[in-house]
């Protein structure tokens, strides 16, 4: 942290050049220190410095979440297939911070922050192109839509898997997309037995790429689903 603070104090560096240190600090607070609320606040502050502004006030977050929910429409498979690759480095850095901020908002039960962040990631993907974190963004937004329509929630998860195939480094987030989709979305509209092999595949994908956290989520949810399916 001392060395990181030294980097952040360098006035000659741009905020984009400092973003890796910011990400490490956020991960330290949200992960090791287990303070998701503080990590979410830090994420919003860093995003603001990068030009991606979110309100801090809960009332304003609620208003933005509801308007974002209404404005975000499900794209067709063709819409997804025609998307270019996102090439703006600042927006790509914001996407990485936002996908983790969505996790922190979920952990601290800030529903409005969860919606406003994931909705922006979906809209940015449609507006600026595909990023490595576009696929998990669609899967996470599928959780939001699942609360009103299991069919639409599943379609957002489908689009997430489609985005994995478009992105050349999609393997990095395959495990995350898999456990989100096959435990939190698809079981509401597909037989529980159909989730098991997919969760095992997500586990293997995570271990192969080094995404151990997502791999462990997959195997944990495989065990839970096996019990529900009478396979344990």
């Amino acid at each position: 942290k001392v060395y990181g603070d030294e980097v952040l104090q360098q006035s000659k560096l741009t905020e984009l050049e400092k973003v890796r240190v910011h990400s490490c600090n956020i991960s330290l607070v949200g992960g090791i220190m287990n303070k998701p609320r503080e990590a979410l606040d830090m994420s919003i502050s860093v995003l603001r410095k990068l030009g991606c502004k979110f309100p801090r006030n809960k009332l304003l977050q609620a208003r933005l979440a509801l308007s974002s929910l209404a404005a975000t429409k499900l794209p067709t498979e063709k819409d997804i297939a025609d998307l270019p690759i996102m090439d703006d480095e600042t927006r790509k850095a914001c996407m990485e911070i936002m996908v983790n901020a969505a996790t922190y908002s979920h952990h601290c039960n800030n529903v409005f922050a969860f919606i406003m962040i994931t909705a922006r990631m979906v809209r940015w993907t449609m507006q600026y192109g595909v990023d490595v974190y576009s696929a998990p963004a669609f899967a996470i937004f599928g959780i939001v839509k699942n609360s009103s329509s299991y069919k639409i929630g599943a379609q957002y998860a489908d689009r997430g898997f489609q985005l994995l195939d478009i992105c050349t480094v999609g393997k990095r987030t395959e495990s995350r997309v898999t456990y989100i989709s096959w435990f939190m979305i698809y079981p509401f509209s597909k037989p529980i037995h159909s989730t098991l092999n997919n969760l095992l595949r997500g586990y293997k994908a995570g271990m192969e790429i080094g995404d151990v956290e997502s791999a462990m989520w997959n195997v944990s949810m495989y065990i839970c689903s096996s019990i529900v399916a009478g396979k344990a």
Side-chain angles (χ1 to χ4, degrees):
K1 190 176 187 305
V2 173
Y3 289 117
D5 290 341
E6 181 68 24
V7 173
L8 295 179
Q9 292 171 9
Q10 300 299 313
S11 59
K12 295 181 180 180
L13 298 179
T14 65
E15 290 301 326
L16 181 60
E17 291 171 323
K18 297 176 182 179
V19 75
R20 191 55 52 196
V21 176
H22 285 305
S23 296
C24 289
N25 287 342
I26 293 169
S27 297
L28 173 66
V29 174
I32 297 175
M33 298 175 65
N34 194 27
K35 296 180 178 180
R37 195 179 306 278
E38 288 82 350
L40 175 60
D41 290 339
M42 290 172 64
S43 299
I44 290 176
S45 294
V46 174
L47 287 167
R48 182 176 291 273
K49 292 177 182 178
L50 293 170
C52 178
K53 297 180 180 180
F54 290 104
R56 294 181 179 276
N57 180 276
K58 288 287 183 70
L59 183 60
L60 295 178
Q61 287 182 354
R63 187 171 69 177
L64 177 58
L66 295 174
S67 63
S68 299
L69 194 59
T72 306
K73 305 300 181 183
L74 176 70
T76 65
E77 292 182 1
K78 185 180 185 304
D79 291 335
I80 296 292
D82 291 341
L83 288 174
I85 300 299
M86 186 180 294
D87 57 5
D88 185 280
E89 293 299 326
T90 300
R91 291 195 182 102
K92 289 165 68 175
C94 288
M95 289 287 283
E96 181 175 359
I97 294 172
M98 281 193 284
V99 76
N100 292 319
T103 300
Y104 299 134
S105 63
H106 178 68
H107 288 171
C108 66
N109 201 31
N110 188 334
V111 177
F112 295 125
F114 183 76
I115 294 172
M116 70 178 186
I117 291 169
T118 53
R120 181 167 299 181
M121 293 184 73
V122 169
R123 294 205 314 278
W124 271 25
T125 297
M126 300 310 300
Q127 186 174 357
Y128 302 118
V130 179
D131 177 65
V132 65
Y133 296 105
S134 294
F138 270 73
I140 295 170
F141 196 68
I143 299 174
V144 176
K145 300 301 289 186
N146 221 35
S147 62
S148 59
S149 170
Y150 296 151
K151 180 180 178 180
I152 295 178
Q155 288 175 325
Y156 270 97
D158 292 343
R159 302 297 187 270
F161 282 111
Q162 185 182 356
L163 286 162
L164 283 179
D165 295 332
I166 295 174
C167 184
T168 56
V169 288
K171 192 76 174 177
R172 284 172 51 190
T173 57
E174 180 183 353
S175 186
R176 184 186 296 199
V177 174
T178 300
Y179 83 76
I180 292 171
S181 299
W182 283 102
F183 189 78
M184 300 181 179
I185 300 174
Y186 288 144
F188 292 94
S189 57
K190 299 178 185 288
I192 190 67
H193 294 81
S194 68
T195 68
L196 301 180
N197 287 336
N198 287 287
L199 289 169
L200 278 181
R201 177 175 55 80
Y203 163 72
K204 293 175 182 178
M207 294 303 291
E208 287 173 2
I209 203 68
D211 185 3
V212 178
E213 180 181 355
S214 294
M216 292 302 104
W217 276 114
N218 273 285
V219 76
S220 298
M221 293 170 181
Y222 171 81
I223 294 170
C224 292
S225 296
S226 295
I227 294 171
V228 174
K231 295 287 188 178

